[in-house]
Amino acid sequence: MKGRFALMNGARMAVVLSFDVDAEAVWIDRDPRNRDRPVVLSHGTYGPRVGVPLLLDLLARYGLKATFFVPGWTAEQHADAIRAIAGSGHEIGHHGYLHETVDGLPPAAEEEILLRTSDFLERLVGARPRGYRAPHWDLTPNSVGLLAKHGFLYSSNMMDDFVPYLHPGSTLVEVPVHWTLDDGVYFTFVSHPPRDRQIYAPSTVLSAWRDAFHAYHRHGGCFVLTMHPQTIGRPERLDMLETLLREMRETDGVWFATAAEVADYCRAEVRAVGNRP
Ligand SMILES: [Zn+2]
């Protein structure tokens, strides 16, 4: 059976390794009182301080390039870590300013966040981000238009497909995602807000992601893992990720790409035949 997206650069499927470097911003956004909770903040600090160097080492050992989405505030606070990511050849994408949701924001406020973070990232790493992943995967009805207006190549937020596509009437590519391929839903647990979550064993997550990977391979899809250095960067979870990377690399017909590489390819190939393959 031919995959639905038979355009994956000659491969059956694409694999995009993406990391949202939320750091402390996600906790401050979740509850401003977390600014005065050193232990809650320390979950975030682990990301750029410990998780990022370990992930850069892992990716280098496998010769893989990934996409790191960064809030502007996090880039200001952890400039060295973000420079190290870019300096290793990985893609830097836009992930809001203080990890704020844009849900309900007027267009001008959403646009201000877009420009503020793009401007800072450009000063920091020498290139404007080409991709946008909204904090919490929230878009507004204005987001696609604003991204296109400001020259973004792609959004990585929607859940209406498992292959990339062009937004209707736009040159903006969507690199779709899903919560099942997000590490946070399996692993995130902090003392504030209330403990209402379960922490899953890495073996459980490996099983879920492995099944998904082989299904995407069978159907022909773009397998986008969304991970967080503060979450996947714990030792036992890094080992799990390495096990999965080894298995994916041993599978035929897999194109490992950054989200921008997939979007560039999609824009060039799909444009001629409509917004979806
Ligand atoms: Zn995030």
Side-chain angles (χ1 to χ4, degrees):
M1 188 181 81
K2 206 172 178 185
R4 279 194 57 224
F5 193 74
L7 307 166
M8 293 291 185
N9 206 12
R12 282 195 64 83
M13 70 178 295
V15 168
V16 174
L17 304 171
S18 70
F19 300 93
D20 297 355
V21 193
D22 296 342
E24 301 89 347
V26 64
W27 303 113
I28 295 169
D29 170 62
R30 184 173 286 191
D31 182 350
R33 290 173 297 176
N34 283 339
R35 284 185 186 274
D36 298 321
R37 291 170 176 151
V39 177
V40 172
L41 291 180
S42 74
H43 285 265
T45 310
Y46 184 94
R49 179 183 293 171
V50 182
V52 165
L54 290 172
L55 285 165
L56 293 181
D57 174 68
L58 175 65
L59 294 167
R61 281 190 282 116
Y62 285 82
L64 295 170
K65 294 288 182 266
T67 300
F68 289 76
F69 295 97
V70 185
W73 182 92
T74 298
E76 291 170 2
Q77 303 297 318
H78 298 283
D80 287 347
I82 307 310
R83 268 194 296 258
I85 294 166
S88 302
H90 301 290
E91 180 194 356
I92 302 290
H94 193 304
H95 194 45
Y97 179 70
L98 189 57
H99 207 274
E100 60 283 276
T101 178
V102 294
D103 185 42
L105 279 188
E110 189 175 353
E111 190 168 28
E112 197 274 327
I113 292 169
L114 274 185
L115 294 176
R116 183 178 185 182
T117 291
S118 284
D119 290 347
F120 184 78
L121 288 175
E122 184 177 19
R123 286 200 299 277
L124 186 66
V125 302
R128 289 180 89 73
R130 304 174 72 207
Y132 175 68
R133 174 168 290 157
H136 313 287
W137 280 327
D138 267 328
L139 296 181
T140 72
N142 307 304
S143 301
V144 168
L146 287 171
L147 292 169
K149 174 184 173 185
H150 290 291
F152 278 83
L153 167 66
Y154 71 93
S155 146
S156 183
N157 297 289
M158 297 287 284
M159 310 207 181
D160 54 353
D161 212 331
F162 57 82
V163 296
Y165 60 87
L166 291 186
H167 282 271
S170 174
T171 56
L172 190 76
V173 177
E174 183 63 38
V175 181
V177 291
H178 198 264
W179 284 109
T180 49
L181 301 180
D182 182 301
D183 61 354
V185 296
Y186 303 102
F187 294 135
T188 299
F189 184 99
V190 296
S191 46
H192 298 274
R195 302 175 175 91
D196 57 354
R197 303 277 297 264
Q198 176 180 352
I199 299 177
Y200 287 84
S203 57
T204 301
V205 181
L206 176 62
S207 171
W209 287 359
R210 173 187 279 146
D211 288 352
F213 165 74
H214 289 291
Y216 275 60
H217 187 266
R218 199 163 52 252
H219 287 273
C222 184
F223 183 77
V224 181
L225 281 179
T226 296
M227 299 169 281
H228 301 75
Q230 63 181 278
T231 309
I232 199 73
R234 309 299 303 191
E236 73 282 17
R237 297 171 187 162
L238 282 170
D239 285 356
M240 180 274 285
L241 177 59
E242 184 163 0
T243 301
L244 181 64
L245 290 181
R246 269 203 299 269
E247 184 165 327
M248 293 194 296
R249 289 223 318 172
E250 290 164 3
T251 305
D252 288 335
V254 179
W255 176 35
F256 286 93
T258 64
E261 287 170 336
V262 165
D264 271 330
Y265 195 81
C266 179
R267 185 186 269 186
E269 294 295 312
V270 178
R271 223 170 169 176
V273 296
N275 71 303
R276 288 181 194 245

